[in-house]
Amino acid sequence: MRIGELAQRTGASVRSLRHYEANGLLSAERRSNGYREFPDCAVETVARIRALLAAGLPLAAIEQVLPCVLNQKLEVQTCDSVVAVLQKELCKLDAQAAQVHRARTAISAMLSGA
DNA sequence: GTTCTAACA
DNA sequence: TGTTAGTA
């Protein structure tokens, strides 16, 4: 199917679909006129991508875990590569949390002293 | 009319 | 991301 139909069937914008394809999250063939031709399974793939985006994962991480994400419920097939990516994301989040904690501690101290 | 790329608000 | 320009 062409990109317009995929957009209708998934609720994602044409712009987003091109973006996903450009980042390797979606594969599409090219017709002689340059139009992308998506396989039927792309509908399910987009659903998985959107579920992962909703979960807060960046596109770069999604690209890596997508092959092992089984469905829209984000149930994953246990793959070493996926575990590694998820652990890395968890590590990043922990680092961000620590930063947030330091900032709020400093700000709280300033407010209590004022 | 639909899609493509590239670029800008 | 949305949108717009200029094409094919």
Side-chain angles (χ1 to χ4, degrees), chain A residues 9 15 34 37 43 53 63 69 73 90 97-98 100 104-106 109:
Chain A
R9 292 172 57 173
R15 172 78 163 82
E37 184 67 24
V43 174
L53 284 173
E63 178 186 358
V69 175
K73 296 291 184 183
L90 201 56
V100 168
R104 73 152 288 122
T105 296

Side-chain angles (χ1 to χ4, degrees), chain A residues 15-101:
Chain A
R15 172 78 163 82
S16 297
L17 294 176
R18 291 203 186 99
H19 189 52
Y20 301 158
E21 197 244 14
N23 284 277
L25 277 65
L26 280 177
S27 60
E29 292 181 9
R30 289 286 183 155
R31 288 296 190 69
S32 56
N33 57 11
Y35 288 9
R36 295 175 180 74
E37 184 67 24
F38 295 94
D40 290 354
C41 65
V43 174
E44 300 153 37
T45 304
V46 172
R48 273 178 281 145
I49 292 172
R50 302 194 83 195
L52 287 162
L53 284 173
L57 288 179
L59 230 52
I62 295 177
E63 178 186 358
Q64 296 176 281
V65 304
L66 193 58
C68 297
V69 175
L70 301 178
N71 50 49
Q72 210 168 332
K73 296 291 184 183
L74 301 188
E75 292 171 348
V76 300
Q77 179 179 314
T78 306
C79 313
D80 293 343
S81 60
V82 170
V83 172
V85 171
L86 292 177
Q87 288 179 329
K88 190 169 184 178
E89 282 305 314
L90 201 56
C91 184
K92 287 182 186 176
L93 290 173
D94 286 343
Q96 288 172 22
Q99 162 62 34
V100 168
H101 183 258

